Amino acid sequence: MKHSDAGGQRRRGIVIHAQDCGELWASRLERDTCGLNLLGIHPEGGPAAHESLEQALALQKTTEFADFCRRMHRLGIAVEWEMHALSWLVERSLFDTRPHWFREENGVRVRQLNCCASEPEVLEHIKERSYQLGRMLRPDTHRYALWLDDVASGSCQCERCRSLSPADQAMILTNAMAEGLQAADSKAAESYLAYRSTLEVPTIRPRENVYLEYAPIDRDHHRSLFDPDCEVNRRESASLPALLDFFGREHAKALDYWMDNSLFSNWTRPPKRFALDEAVCDADVRRYAELGFCDITSFGCFLGEDYRALYGEPELAAYGAILQRHLGR
C-alpha cells in the first residue's frame, strides 16, 4: 500500500469525542503528553452519527478548534478523524426517491443502516460524498477513517449482495470511499474497519490506499485479547493474523478500548469512575507490537469535563507509559 504515512512511523494514540477538543484535553496533554503523538477525533456514533458528523464539521471551522490543533502540533501530536460516516455519505432522505440504493432486509428495502453494496449508482454517490468530506477534513497524517454505520450486522440481503459476506460488502464500500478521498487528497489513506461482522478476511482486494484498522469491541475487556484460556477473546482475535497478511502490517492500526470510559459506562451519562486495567493493556500492547502493529491507540471517551468534576483526572500517564514501553518513543 502506498500512502504518505511513512513506513515504520510509530503512533501512540488516543481517540476522544469531537466536543472534547477544548481547553481540558489541551491543558491535560500540555502538562504531560504521556508519550502520545496521535489524537483521533470521534464524532459520536449511533443513530444520529450523521448529525454528530455535521456538528464536527462546524466545529473544525472555528477559531477555537484551530487553536486546539495548534496546541497539539506544538506538542508533536498529529490530529486525525475517526467516524461512522455512512449515513452522512448516503443521506437517509434519498430513500424516498432511490430506495434501490438502500439495503434489503427480509425482502424489503429499508432506510436504516448502511446501503446496498452492489448498486453502481450508490457507489458513485459515495465516491462523490467522500470527495466532499475529504475536502473538508484535513488530517495531519492524510489518514481517514470513514466507517460504516455503527451496528453489529447491517449488510444488504438483496439478490446481488446475498452472496457477498459482510466483510466483502464493507470492502466494496470502503474502496469507494478510498477512491473519493484520494480524488480530494492525493495522499489519502482510508481505513477498513475490522469490527464485529467485518472481522473476517474479505475476498475482494482493497485499493492500494486502504489500511487495516482492527477494533475488537466484542472482546472480554478484562482479559487479554490474546489469553488462550478466554474463549470469547480467542474468537474475536482468530482472524487477526490473516487480516494482517491480507492488508499488510506496515500501516495497520490497532484501535482498542482500554481507555474507553464510554464503553465501560455503557454509553450513558453521567460517566462511571474509570480504572485502567494495566495488566490487560500491557499484555495486549506487547502482543500487538510483536504482531507488527506500529500504530496502537484506544478510545478515550467520557473522560471530559463531567468526568473530571466527578472523579478528577484519569490514568492517562499509565496508559502512555505502556505504549512507550512496547512501541518506543
Side-chain angles (χ1 to χ4, degrees):
M1 180 182 61
K2 301 172 184 176
H3 61 74
S4 66
D5 198 17
Q9 171 69 63
R10 295 180 180 273
R11 301 283 187 189
R12 302 175 300 275
I14 195 160
V15 177
I16 66 174
H17 280 147
Q19 63 266 31
D20 287 332
C21 294
E23 179 60 33
L24 172 60
W25 269 98
S27 59
R28 179 180 281 168
L29 290 169
E30 283 170 344
R31 286 195 303 273
D32 180 5
T33 64
C34 310
L36 301 180
N37 61 6
L38 180 67
L39 182 72
I41 302 175
H42 178 55
E44 292 193 40
H50 58 294
E51 296 175 3
S52 298
L53 201 162
E54 283 287 356
Q55 291 164 6
L57 291 174
L59 169 70
Q60 61 120 27
K61 295 177 182 177
T62 64
T63 57
E64 289 81 7
F65 183 78
D67 178 65
F68 177 82
C69 289
R70 280 192 294 269
R71 292 169 75 174
M72 294 302 100
H73 297 159
R74 285 197 294 269
L75 297 170
I77 297 175
V79 177
E80 60 184 24
W81 297 84
E82 311 244 6
M83 62 186 70
H84 292 284
L86 206 284
S87 63
W88 187 94
L89 297 173
V90 183
E91 310 94 301
R92 304 293 100 174
S93 60
L94 293 172
F95 183 82
D96 297 331
T97 55
R98 299 171 180 86
H100 59 292
W101 286 18
F102 292 78
R103 70 186 183 95
E104 185 176 300
E105 181 179 273
N106 299 321
V108 178
R109 296 284 178 175
V110 294
R111 187 188 303 264
Q112 296 80 19
L113 304 178
N114 297 322
C115 63
C116 178
S118 299
E119 175 49 58
E121 290 178 6
V122 79
L123 296 179
E124 288 302 315
H125 187 75
I126 287 172
K127 292 174 192 176
E128 174 57 29
R129 291 282 281 175
S130 297
Y131 169 81
Q132 294 172 16
L133 200 51
R135 297 280 291 178
M136 291 183 277
L137 300 175
R138 289 297 183 180
D140 297 326
T141 59
H142 296 278
R143 297 188 310 176
Y144 299 77
L146 310 186
W147 303 329
L148 274 60
D149 284 336
D150 190 5
V151 60
S153 178
S155 299
C156 182
Q157 301 169 5
C158 77
E159 186 175 357
R160 289 178 294 174
C161 286
R162 209 168 293 149
S163 62
L164 297 169
S165 69
D168 280 338
Q169 291 190 37
M171 191 74 262
I172 291 169
L173 299 174
T174 298
N175 279 341
M177 296 176 206
E179 185 175 347
L181 288 167
Q182 197 164 46
D185 175 357
S186 63
K187 298 178 180 180
E190 160 64 355
S191 152
Y192 171 87
L193 185 67
Y195 171 85
R196 292 190 155 164
S197 65
T198 62
L199 277 170
E200 68 177 274
V201 179
T203 64
I204 293 169
R205 298 303 305 181
R207 286 174 55 87
E208 283 191 335
N209 65 324
V210 172
Y211 64 94
L212 171 67
E213 185 162 21
Y214 174 73
I217 192 172
D218 291 325
R219 58 173 291 179
D220 182 334
H221 298 276
H222 299 292
R223 302 275 293 274
S224 172
L225 179 66
F226 306 100
D227 183 344
D229 296 324
C230 181
E231 182 179 354
V232 66
N233 286 356
R234 286 203 313 272
R235 289 198 306 267
E236 192 78 350
S237 62
S239 63
L240 182 53
L243 284 166
L244 287 165
D245 289 342
F246 184 77
F247 286 96
R249 289 166 169 76
E250 185 179 8
H251 302 290
K253 174 190 284 189
L255 173 60
D256 219 302
Y257 299 84
W258 310 291
M259 294 287 295
D260 188 13
N261 201 36
S262 64
L263 182 150
F264 299 121
S265 299
N266 196 31
W267 298 278
T268 302
R269 295 184 187 276
K272 294 181 179 178
R273 181 184 291 276
F274 170 75
L276 173 66
D277 192 325
E278 294 187 41
V280 166
C281 183
D282 186 83
D284 288 345
V285 173
R286 182 183 69 250
R287 185 60 182 141
Y288 278 137
E290 290 171 351
L291 287 167
F293 284 96
C294 289
D295 183 336
I296 302 176
T297 194
S298 171
F299 281 103
C301 303
F302 276 32
L303 296 173
E305 294 282 3
D306 54 350
Y307 183 89
R308 186 173 66 169
L310 288 167
Y311 311 113
E313 287 294 317
E315 300 164 84
L316 196 57
Y319 167 66
I322 290 169
L323 293 182
Q324 286 185 309
R325 185 178 307 139
H326 299 295
L327 286 178
R329 288 183 177 272

